[in-house]
Amino acid sequence: MTDGSSPFVQEIVRDLQRTQARISPKFFYDKTGSTLFHRITTLEEYYPTRMERAILEKASEEIARSIGECWTVIEPGAGSCEKAEHLCRLLRPRSFVGVDISADYLADGVERLRGTLPGLSVHAVAGDLTEELLLPPDLPMPRRTVFFPGSSVGNFEPDEAVALLSRILRLLDSDGLLLLGVDLQKPIDVLEAAYNDSDGVTEAFNLNILNHVNRLIGGNFRAADWLHRAYFNKERSRIEMHLEARRATAVAWSGGRRRFKQGESIHTENSYKYSLESFRDLLERAGFDRSEVWTDDQGWYALFLARPGAARKSQRRIAS
Ligand SMILES: C[S@@+](CC[C@H](N)C(=O)[O-])C[C@H]1O[C@@H](n2cnc3c(N)ncnc32)[C@H](O)[C@@H]1O
């Protein structure tokens, strides 16, 4: 598909022409990319999914007690909806709304959820989290829990993460809650192994972005010309993923082209690793407060449960 006027095409072409070329990580997720991501979550080296699930299982009673009555669970970036199923069994909401950029993959996920939890009203929304989040118009406002697992918040620059969390806050009433997974700082060898697995699944996931981009912009990227690179940037406290040109390469797309020197890279993902304090600070900047947190024994991964702050409450009181 090539439509030069589409915002996605414009974004990709603009980002490819930057001095440090980049492709937004949201373009990882065509159907192949979503399937590869799901495989990543099962890898030995990829600790976040395993740890998050373990924390959720161990603290499930406490989490359920802290959340209390929940009418609606909303999951931005719901993907396969596997984690949503677990949370919906725990909280027994009336409805679930999954939002994802990968619409076909989400459609399969919600279909499975309808099958396993037949009493739950399930909605799928194809949407981009970097924009305003649009929910079904008749969704009741009270007693919503936004569930944002998988440390997806780490893929955003800290200021963008604050903006995203503020958009999430606008989906909540004063009794709303945000339950989200955050990957914490840990030894560099553990971090780097998680993004350089021995089966090469993360490499395939990173390279697949080029196939997706080719389809979107009518490009001629050849995956064989690019190397997967993932390393920890200590100064910025983030894993960076890049695709590095194996040799001097010219890439063309409908209406444009760019030459890459050998060794030049396209930056495809960041995954920020926070301390508990630095993430709490982010939540506060976005307008959340009184957060509770659960971690594993090593303090490598955290589940935060955050509530709208006092400013949010008085705003709604004035508005109503
Ligand atoms: C890291 S996966 C997490 C999936 C699942 N929530 C989990 O925890 O295993 C990120 C998910 O968010 C979706 N996604 C990524 N960027 C997005 C964006 N900008 N807007 C909407 N969905 C996005 C992807 O399609 C994918 O399903």
Side-chain angles (χ1 to χ4, degrees):
M1 178 200 90
T2 313
D3 172 5
S5 64
S6 128
F8 281 171
V9 171
Q10 288 175 14
E11 178 181 349
I12 295 168
V13 166
R14 188 189 62 227
D15 284 352
L16 282 176
Q17 287 170 323
R18 291 179 192 274
T19 310
Q20 168 62 69
R22 67 184 194 209
I23 301 175
S24 164
K26 68 187 177 198
F27 297 112
F28 279 132
Y29 298 96
D30 61 354
K31 212 160 185 188
T32 306
S34 297
T35 306
L36 284 167
F37 177 75
H38 193 259
R39 270 187 70 198
I40 289 173
T41 64
T42 65
L43 296 168
E44 181 58 32
E45 294 99 327
Y46 196 76
Y47 60 84
T49 309
R50 210 171 40 248
M51 281 191 169
E52 187 173 65
R53 190 175 304 129
I55 298 168
L56 200 52
E57 276 166 17
K58 195 167 166 200
S60 61
E61 278 181 26
E62 259 180 78
I63 292 172
R65 212 175 312 122
S66 290
I67 293 178
E69 190 180 342
C70 169
W71 292 357
T72 309
V73 170
I74 300 163
E75 185 179 351
S80 66
C81 299
E82 270 180 21
K83 291 179 188 169
E85 180 181 341
H86 183 83
L87 191 68
C88 289
R89 282 189 193 283
L90 186 67
L91 301 181
R92 301 179 173 279
R94 301 169 187 178
S95 19
F96 169 77
V97 184
V99 183
D100 208 291
I101 201 162
S102 187
D104 293 349
Y105 196 72
L106 176 66
D108 293 348
V110 300
E111 212 35 59
R112 266 194 307 274
L113 199 56
R114 285 194 182 107
T116 50
L117 297 175
L120 185 70
S121 162
V122 178
H123 310 262
V125 176
D128 182 351
L129 306 183
T130 62
E131 309 282 336
E132 205 60 39
L133 297 166
L134 297 175
L135 299 179
D138 52 350
L139 201 71
M141 189 69 186
R143 303 212 166 273
R144 293 177 173 181
T145 298
V146 172
F147 181 41
F148 195 32
S151 70
S152 296
V153 69
N155 297 144
F156 293 79
E157 292 293 333
D159 284 348
E160 289 172 3
V162 171
L164 170 65
L165 295 172
S166 306
R167 287 196 291 281
I168 289 177
L169 182 68
R170 289 200 284 278
L171 304 178
L172 299 176
D173 218 337
S174 55
D175 59 8
L177 288 154
L178 167 63
L179 179 66
L180 88 173
V182 180
D183 200 11
L184 302 177
Q185 290 156 354
K186 59 184 63 61
I188 292 178
D189 56 334
V190 178
L191 284 171
E192 293 193 336
Y195 295 82
N196 290 286
D197 64 277
S198 48
D199 290 347
V201 187
T202 313
E203 176 184 19
F205 174 73
N206 198 10
L207 287 166
N208 179 64
I209 204 170
L210 299 178
N211 301 329
H212 190 201
V213 161
N214 278 343
R215 287 200 306 280
L216 291 170
I217 67 169
N220 68 352
F221 276 103
R222 283 181 310 266
D225 292 340
W226 300 86
L227 274 171
H228 164 71
R229 294 272 186 235
Y231 55 84
F232 188 63
N233 177 336
K234 207 170 165 189
E235 227 165 83
R236 313 284 298 268
S237 191
R238 69 188 191 195
I239 284 282
E240 292 186 13
M241 286 216 311
H242 293 254
L243 290 166
E244 186 183 294
R246 286 178 189 267
R247 54 189 81 85
T249 305
V251 180
W253 56 85
S254 309
R257 58 189 282 117
R258 173 168 180 165
R259 288 181 187 285
F260 291 89
K261 295 190 194 108
Q262 181 182 9
E264 219 178 334
S265 81
I266 304 174
H267 191 169
T268 51
E269 187 175 79
N270 290 318
S271 182
Y272 279 84
K273 309 302 170 188
Y274 289 99
S275 64
L276 290 176
E277 297 68 33
S278 60
F279 196 76
R280 224 176 250 128
D281 179 53
L282 228 63
L283 282 169
E284 281 173 18
R285 282 173 58 201
F288 286 93
D289 73 1
R290 291 178 301 131
S291 56
E292 289 166 71
V293 67
W294 294 267
T295 68
D296 59 292
D297 293 343
Q298 286 161 295
W300 280 7
Y301 197 90
L303 261 186
F304 278 83
L305 181 66
R307 297 165 197 276
R312 169 74 179 148
K313 277 182 209 151
S314 56
Q315 236 178 32
R316 285 203 61 81
R317 230 176 282 133
I318 291 163
S320 57

